[in-house]
Amino acid sequence: MSDSTAGAAVSEASLPADVAVRFREAAKIYDNGVQALAALDLDIRRGEFVSLLGPSGCGKSTALRLIAGLSRPSSGTVQVAGRPVAAGGRAIGFVFQEPTLMPWASVLDNVRLPLRLARMARADADSRARDALARVGLADFADVYPRELSGGMKMRVSLARALVTDPDILLMDEPFAALDEITRFRLNNDLMALWRSLRKTVVFVTHSVFESVYLSQRVVVMTPRPGRVSAEFRVVAPEPRLEAFRTSASYAAQCREVSAALARASGEGTT
């Protein structure tokens, strides 16, 4: 089945006011016959931080691509609310597993790229790009090049580039997986602070139970391919969520609960 095959069309008007993304019976079969998703049903509320957790190949990244409009469902529907953008899609920011920065361009030029493609005036684009860099703690690095940055700093640039368009929805596909633990913890904390400040809808893909529970308001556990929802957990945590939560008994207990659900979804311990 072709990647361009669309599922049934459903108008945005049918979405409740508090829903940002809705999957209904959404399936995805790629041209090579691999079925990534099957009958995915999921609502993501506006302003919610949701993590998709599951084994490799369970369709987590495919779900993000469907939200972003980079792919279409083979059947079922995916509805996305939010402000339209000039290209006809929705205001969505995407942070990929790799920073994918242009090595020949400065940090400022990398962050400004989406605005340049949208033909925004140079002065306005510069101002917004610098503001985005300040939000991720890189205000003093606008004129340096990617080769001069650490892995964590490169990911901050990628995050700034996703935020520079002021998206309604921020999609993050395992952005911190390749980083060392100290850097990962620091970026988790910074991401939490950004989310509290901006209240974007965030859909975060991860393999880490610990990361999902620390960051999210809700953790969605997915089955192995073809992916579908196996379980959902509402994370109970103080707000603002600070580093002390990571070492609390409540955090440990919720991680154990989510880990057990992931094992069940993956068929571990069954005969």
Side-chain angles (χ1 to χ4, degrees):
M1 188 170 292
S2 171
D3 188 54
S4 62
T5 301
V10 180
S11 69
E12 179 192 323
S14 63
L15 277 177
D18 65 337
V19 174
V21 179
R22 169 165 287 174
F23 291 88
R24 285 295 180 268
E25 295 290 314
K28 180 62 185 180
I29 303 173
Y30 286 102
D31 291 345
N32 61 5
V34 171
Q35 183 167 9
L37 295 172
L40 180 61
D41 286 315
L42 179 65
D43 279 0
I44 298 170
R45 290 184 291 277
R46 293 179 189 258
E48 188 177 24
F49 196 123
V50 173
S51 283
L52 304 182
L53 176 69
S56 296
C58 74
K60 303 184 299 296
S61 297
T62 295
L64 292 192
R65 291 177 61 84
L66 293 178
I67 296 170
L70 300 175
S71 184
R72 296 183 179 183
S74 303
S75 61
T77 59
V78 181
Q79 296 170 263
V80 181
R83 295 173 290 113
V85 294
R90 296 289 155 191
I92 292 174
F94 208 133
V95 181
F96 295 93
Q97 294 178 25
E98 298 294 333
T100 61
L101 303 178
M102 301 178 294
W104 61 87
S106 70
V107 163
L108 182 66
D109 286 338
N110 270 282
V111 174
R112 187 173 50 204
L113 178 62
L115 304 180
R116 182 167 65 84
L117 295 175
R119 300 184 183 279
M120 180 178 286
R122 176 67 177 262
D124 292 339
D126 278 356
S127 177
R128 288 181 59 167
R130 290 184 185 279
D131 286 346
L133 284 170
R135 285 190 179 277
V136 300
L138 292 179
D140 296 332
F141 292 84
D143 297 325
V144 306
Y145 289 83
R147 64 179 177 272
E148 302 172 71
L149 302 177
S150 67
M153 294 171 75
K154 289 177 183 177
M155 193 52 69
R156 289 177 188 272
V157 176
S158 182
L159 179 57
R161 185 175 57 192
L163 291 172
V164 76
T165 58
D166 187 26
D168 295 313
I169 300 171
L170 182 62
L171 307 176
M172 306 188 74
D173 191 0
E174 295 190 80
F176 309 142
L179 302 176
D180 65 85
E181 190 172 38
I182 293 174
T183 301
R184 187 170 184 162
F185 283 2
R186 185 179 299 122
L187 286 173
N188 283 170
N189 291 337
D190 290 348
L191 178 58
M192 278 275 86
L194 274 172
W195 176 77
R196 285 195 300 269
S197 172
L198 301 175
R199 286 295 173 175
K200 304 294 184 185
T201 303
V202 178
V203 188
F204 190 94
V205 162
T206 181
H207 285 103
S208 170
V209 169
F210 305 103
E211 185 171 58
S212 69
V213 174
Y214 184 70
L215 289 174
S216 312
Q217 291 183 296
R218 184 161 51 111
V219 178
V220 176
V221 178
M222 296 180 64
T223 64
R225 187 174 61 236
R228 57 172 61 86
V229 175
S230 174
E232 298 185 31
F233 293 87
R234 175 67 55 182
V235 177
V236 179
E239 289 296 342
R241 197 170 301 185
L242 303 176
E243 185 64 28
F245 175 58
R246 201 191 296 273
T247 57
S248 69
S250 173
Y251 173 72
Q254 291 179 84
C255 286
R256 286 195 297 270
E257 189 177 6
V258 172
S259 183
L262 181 60
R264 289 192 298 270
S266 301
E268 295 179 13
T270 63
T271 58

